[in-house]
Amino acid sequence: MTRTGGALGPTAPAGTWHDPGALRALRTLHRSGKLAAEYGAVRGLLARMPPADLPAAGQLLSRVDPRTVRRHAPDVAVVAVAVTGHSTVAPVVAPLTAELARHGLLLEARVAPYGAYLQDLMRPPAEGLPQVTLCLLDAHTVFDDVTVPWRVEDVESAARARLALLGGAVRAHQEAGRGLLVLNTVPLLRRFTHQLIDLRSRARLGAVWREFNCGLLALAERYPGVVTVDLDPLVGEGVPACEPRTAQYARARLSDALLAACARETAHVVRASLGRGRKVLVLDLDGTLWGGVLGEAGPDGVELGAGLRGEAFQEFQRVVAQLGSQGVLLAVSSKNDEALVREALRGHPAMLLREDSFVRVNANWKAKHDNLRDIADRLGLGLDGFVFADDSLFECGLVAERLPEVAVVRVDDEPALHPSALLADGWFDLFELTEADLARAARYRTEALREEFREDVGSYEEYLEGLGIEVTLRPPGEADLARVSQLTLRTNQFHLATERLEVPRVADWLERPGRHVIAVRARDRFGDHGLVGALFLRRDGGLLRIDNFVLSCRVFSRGIEGGCVAAVLDFARSTGADAVTGRYLPSPRNAAFASFYSDHGFTVLDRDPDAADGKHGKHAVHFRHDLATRVPAPAHLRLDAAFGPFDAPRNGQGEQS
Amino acid sequence: MTTVLADTTDFRTLLGEELGLHIGADDLDRPLADFPDWDSVLLLRMVTVVEAATGRRVAVADLLQARTFRQLYEAVAGR
């Protein structure tokens, strides 16, 4: 088999994908009382667990006190979720615990009493705000307001009234700044439609019900902090919407299976809100993007386009291309001859994905985990942003074992099932698509041109000189808010005080007096990088504080970060500040920039200048620049900074210095 | 399918494995109120789990009225 060619070690975990032993191992941990102490092993066990075992895992995990887990694993990321809804909602806690744990998140759930959702949403903000509110709705959200005998008109007015109430409650929740709110659309049950015996009314009920659901979906369009999980596609895949006995006797109106599916989607939303969405999809070729073995069949002989299976592979390529068109970076890791692969990508008439669809094609005989590392290095992205899809049990198992941070999607020998396998976990879900997403792949390709240019010039300084980098700093316009928010949500490395801000919170920063958000744009002779960074500034008497500074990893090491600091110092000086402070809050991924401020002329403060207000992390390191010396912007930059309407543009600082 | 839940030991194993609730043989006749970990959510989950394991329908209304684990067992075993 060419696909598994190369050196296979005797420890290769072939056959371990979807391991029925994983649940056994979890049960043993639970039985011996070690689940909290060994919580670090849970994510790996869940990754290997067949989906059918997850509900049982959720039951075990939800019986462990999150406080005990935190004592044993202080670094685990905790998500506080207030669970509320129209009926009995507690059964969602166990599946939600398991689904969040799959993404390395620990659930701290607070379950509201029966039917308390309107009060819960409208309640004034309290201390210890939950990060997320999950509000589960069901058919009784409408039908509780309808009495027998009823006509469609009665359901219509009940649905309208309920939607209006809910709309008001959602507005109150969002205006109070109470964080992310997850709602759901409500499946219409046959037990209601078929109580109407005339088909005309039954059709009208269907229409009325969809209007109600449209209203729920529209709430998510109106408020950036609201997500409505559409349950229709889940029910459409055969998940039963309701279990009549538990609905009747326990008021648990959504079935166990639907709650589990809804919990899965909710976990993806939470993951996106924490900036943990994936950015890169690395694909195998033989058996994944086409059928057959390229090395044996030759570039024209692979199964693609023609024939039943050939069409299925082409359909899968359509799905991959669609993801690629929205900014997911596509790459190839294939055990194959590079020349043959290039020939197939360029020449096969049925290929939808072409050579330039991929930001990187690694076709060689090295181990796939080494190839994934290589791709990550060349793109300058962390492996925790990667998804790897392969049909080989062996390759999937090996990558999962060697690179546990990579999400592994195993497609099997049935290509018609490839799309659902790839899409099962919403790996790439994000809140809003920005211009930067749409242009991302093209930007990474121009990066390859920069690389070539870099190889042609003598020194790195010459390279930077030759790039002709232009940097612009401006307050963001309305249209830029989504991108600024996205930078805070998705950037991990150059993110000096990692603070995730959804769009409304960025807008709030902009509106408050004495605060500035500054968007950083960059371009060079090869193209426009777009909006690549943001500074969050705050006036505090004579101090200008840099509360946070985020810069896309696309533009590291080009002096842009230094240029930004020089511009802030100039701005502080010209607006009468005595000093500028900077703040670094360590995160698992930003250690490389711990000394960023001291490298740029700031001194480390021995105490927290914000200690009095107690708002800032106690682990933060604070820095101060007293403005006595001028810090020049790197000379190779053309810098254009204007921080506010009162701040006249000052061009060419880099050239002046 | 009748081998599943043949006796209360099977039932206790199922409670432990599927619900994370470890019940001793001596606990079968104690009031459910003595078990702070036992709640209606676990009971609902138990319906799903027992029906999947045995292929038999469980009388949910009877379960809701049970006062001890033995009575729960009798309800799920159809006795």
Side-chain angles (χ1 to χ4, degrees):
Chain A
M1 285 296 292
T2 35
R3 259 190 290 120
T4 52
L8 307 187
T11 57
T16 58
W17 201 247
H18 279 176
D19 177 6
L23 180 58
R24 258 197 317 278
L26 195 75
R27 281 175 176 154
T28 306
L29 284 176
H30 185 268
R31 179 86 230 195
S32 61
K34 289 183 188 154
L35 203 42
E38 310 268 333
Y39 205 81
V42 166
R43 189 178 186 179
L45 289 174
L46 294 176
R48 298 208 309 274
M49 210 170 271
D53 286 352
L54 282 173
Q59 290 296 327
L60 303 184
L61 292 170
S62 67
R63 308 209 72 70
V64 180
D65 185 350
R67 285 168 301 186
T68 319
V69 175
R70 291 173 88 163
R71 258 205 317 280
H72 288 287
D75 292 336
V76 66
V78 179
V79 184
V81 180
V83 181
T84 186
H86 183 77
S87 305
T88 302
V89 292
V92 80
V93 172
L96 189 58
T97 307
E99 292 295 342
L100 288 171
R102 290 179 64 231
H103 302 295
L105 303 169
L106 176 66
L107 172 65
E108 273 187 10
R110 206 167 61 197
V111 181
Y114 179 84
Y117 69 107
L118 288 176
Q119 298 93 303
D120 276 346
L121 296 181
M122 289 191 279
R123 178 173 303 165
E127 280 301 302
L129 291 175
Q131 289 160 268
V132 183
T133 303
L134 172 60
C135 177
L136 291 169
L137 307 171
D138 57 78
H140 278 259
T141 308
V142 171
F143 271 98
D144 274 357
D145 297 336
V146 177
T147 51
V148 176
W150 53 269
R151 296 170 307 153
V152 174
E153 294 74 36
D154 302 318
V155 180
E156 186 169 15
S157 51
R160 287 213 175 127
R162 190 46 58 167
L163 191 60
L165 272 176
L166 198 56
V170 168
R171 190 178 64 234
H173 180 277
Q174 290 296 292
E175 285 177 355
R178 290 176 56 200
L180 182 62
L181 172 62
V182 180
L183 302 167
N184 60 290
T185 64
V186 181
L188 174 57
L189 304 177
R190 191 172 186 278
R191 58 174 296 185
F192 293 115
T193 55
H194 284 59
Q195 290 181 43
L196 292 169
I197 60 170
D198 73 297
L199 300 179
R200 189 173 296 274
S201 299
R202 196 180 288 170
R204 179 75 199 127
L205 178 61
V208 163
W209 203 261
R210 268 64 172 202
E211 278 167 29
F212 179 65
N213 280 334
C214 282
L216 294 172
L217 292 164
L219 288 170
E221 287 181 273
R222 195 172 315 146
Y223 303 103
V226 176
V227 175
T228 303
V229 173
D230 193 351
L231 297 189
D232 272 6
L234 306 178
V235 174
E237 295 214 322
V239 178
C242 176
E243 207 299 297
R245 293 166 303 158
T246 50
Q248 179 65 43
Y249 297 128
R251 307 287 186 265
R253 259 94 178 227
L254 299 175
S255 76
D256 259 13
L258 189 57
L259 285 179
C262 182
R264 193 181 187 87
E265 303 289 327
T266 303
H268 304 160
V269 172
V270 171
R271 186 184 57 197
S273 77
L274 295 173
R276 293 177 173 222
R278 307 269 163 163
K279 298 169 182 166
V280 186
L281 173 59
V282 183
L283 296 141
D284 166 53
L285 295 175
D286 294 347
T288 301
L289 282 190
W290 57 60
V293 176
L294 177 66
E296 289 168 8
D300 295 324
V302 294
E303 216 175 353
L304 184 66
L308 290 175
R309 283 170 50 86
E311 285 174 13
F313 280 109
Q314 199 180 39
E315 187 58 32
F316 181 56
Q317 290 203 7
R318 250 180 222 115
V319 173
V320 172
Q322 170 67 15
L323 293 177
S325 74
Q326 297 162 89
V328 175
L329 298 175
L330 307 177
V332 165
S333 172
S334 167
K335 282 186 172 159
N336 254 314
D337 231 18
E338 177 161 8
L340 281 181
V341 166
R342 300 268 173 204
E343 200 183 327
L345 293 180
R346 283 175 199 151
H348 196 291
M351 279 297 289
L352 291 172
L353 297 164
R354 291 293 179 185
E355 211 174 5
D356 65 358
S357 309
F358 301 101
V359 291
R360 183 87 200 153
V361 175
N362 277 25
N364 54 46
W365 299 96
K366 289 182 208 151
K368 297 228 172 181
H369 49 269
D370 290 335
N371 273 302
L372 285 169
R373 278 201 198 99
D374 174 65
I375 294 168
D377 285 348
R378 286 174 185 273
L379 298 179
L381 293 169
L383 280 165
D384 55 359
F386 276 56
V387 175
F388 169 68
D390 200 311
D391 66 310
S392 153
L393 204 56
F394 169 80
E395 301 293 1
C396 287
L398 194 58
V399 167
E401 185 190 272
R402 298 294 167 88
L403 304 173
E405 64 273 45
V406 172
V408 178
V409 172
R410 201 223 156 190
V411 294
D412 61 17
D413 55 3
E414 175 50 86
L417 295 174
H418 284 15
S420 40
L422 179 60
L423 301 176
D425 256 307
W427 286 117
F428 308 102
D429 289 2
L430 43 85
F431 273 67
E432 199 165 349
L433 208 59
T434 65
E435 292 287 320
D437 293 315
L438 300 173
R440 181 171 296 122
R443 290 210 170 105
Y444 276 92
R445 279 191 296 273
T446 49
E447 196 53 43
L449 294 176
R450 285 186 190 95
E451 280 285 313
E452 281 171 29
F453 171 63
R454 181 167 164 180
E455 281 157 14
D456 286 346
V457 296
S459 70
Y460 196 66
E461 284 70 28
E462 273 178 68
Y463 163 69
L464 288 177
E465 284 292 339
L467 272 183
I469 304 169
E470 294 170 29
V471 179
T472 309
L473 284 78
R474 288 281 187 283
E478 190 76 24
D480 301 324
L481 294 188
R483 172 63 180 158
V484 170
S485 160
Q486 186 185 53
L487 281 167
T488 73
L489 291 175
R490 298 185 80 186
T491 306
N492 296 311
Q493 297 182 63
F494 193 104
H495 198 166
L496 297 185
T498 312
E499 276 183 342
R500 312 292 190 188
L501 302 178
E502 280 131 29
V503 170
R505 291 184 62 201
V506 176
D508 185 54
W509 253 95
L510 267 171
E511 280 166 16
R512 293 202 190 196
R515 295 194 180 200
H516 305 267
V517 181
I518 302 300
V520 182
R521 291 167 197 280
R523 54 178 298 127
D524 63 28
R525 59 182 275 197
F526 291 101
D528 195 346
H529 290 288
L531 208 167
V532 289
L535 289 140
F536 292 82
L537 310 178
R538 182 163 58 95
R539 290 231 171 243
D540 181 3
L543 287 184
L544 181 69
R545 297 182 183 279
I546 308 175
D547 268 3
N548 196 9
F549 184 6
V550 53
L551 192 68
S552 164
C553 53
R554 274 208 311 267
V555 294
F556 282 176
S557 314
R558 289 170 202 184
I560 292 172
E561 51 276 41
C564 291
V565 167
V568 171
L569 295 175
D570 268 3
F571 170 65
R573 201 175 283 114
S574 67
T575 51
D578 306 324
V580 173
T581 62
R583 185 164 75 106
Y584 168 75
L585 191 59
S587 80
R589 293 280 306 280
N590 71 0
F593 299 98
S595 62
F596 173 76
Y597 284 114
S598 35
D599 293 345
H600 288 81
F602 287 63
T603 51
V604 182
L605 292 180
D606 51 8
R607 66 176 195 88
D608 174 359
D610 261 344
D613 67 12
K615 275 193 304 197
H616 291 85
K618 58 177 186 256
H619 304 302
V621 186
H622 297 267
F623 301 85
R624 181 186 165 99
H625 194 289
D626 62 11
L627 301 175
T629 50
R630 210 182 136 90
V631 177
H636 66 269
L637 296 183
R638 275 179 47 208
L639 194 63
D640 170 9
F643 284 18
F646 47 85
D647 170 40
R650 296 180 307 278
N651 294 315
Q653 290 169 356
E655 289 154 355
Q656 284 166 16
S657 49
Chain B
M1 302 296 278
T2 48
T3 53
V4 184
L5 294 190
D7 54 32
T8 53
T9 309
D10 282 358
F11 181 56
R12 289 191 294 111
T13 304
L14 184 112
L15 291 176
E17 291 198 338
E18 293 292 336
L19 308 180
L21 191 74
H22 302 294
I23 301 293
D26 304 343
D27 295 328
L28 285 168
D29 294 308
R30 287 170 56 196
L32 290 174
D34 284 4
F35 300 88
D37 278 353
W38 177 253
D39 61 21
S40 59
V41 172
L42 282 185
L43 186 138
L44 294 180
R45 178 68 196 157
M46 197 178 83
V47 174
T48 311
V49 168
V50 167
E51 291 188 342
T54 64
R56 281 196 308 266
R57 185 193 290 175
V58 163
V60 179
D62 291 352
L63 279 187
L64 286 162
Q65 287 164 39
R67 295 277 173 272
T68 64
F69 281 108
R70 190 180 303 282
Q71 287 172 14
L72 282 176
Y73 169 70
E74 284 161 1
V76 301
R79 296 188 185 154

